[in-house]
Amino acid sequence: MHTTNSQMFTPPTGAGGFYVTVTTTGCYMTFDGTAPSATNGLALPAGIGPLFFPFSLHTLSGITVRSQAAANSVVNVVWVSG
């Protein structure tokens, strides 16, 4: 994704957490459906991960990511059952 768009990842049924890696340009990530930006969300630098985020299915409808720069950000998400 690029700074001009966001990508939402929706957890599959039965997911209880996810691993994330950022392999190129860093990104911003939100967990509440709002648009990620420099002033909203978690900043994940390039090369980070894998990081694990556990969650309750009742509190997470998805994660949204957006690049930190005017370049594509490759973000990999792997859902795990809970």
Side-chain angles (χ1 to χ4, degrees), residues 1-72:
M1 100 255 18
H2 199 272
T3 55
T4 58
N5 64 36
S6 296
Q7 175 67 47
M8 181 169 217
F9 297 91
T10 304
T13 301
F18 65 94
Y19 286 94
V20 64
T21 61
V22 181
T23 58
T24 59
T25 306
C27 73
Y28 300 109
M29 177 182 289
T30 60
F31 303 92
D32 60 359
T34 61
S37 69
T39 59
N40 185 42
L42 179 65
L44 299 176
I48 198 163
L51 298 175
F52 180 68
F53 292 89
F55 63 87
S56 166
L57 288 176
H58 303 297
T59 60
L60 183 71
S61 59
I63 56 174
T64 307
V65 294
R66 179 176 286 173
S67 179
Q68 292 177 343
N72 290 333

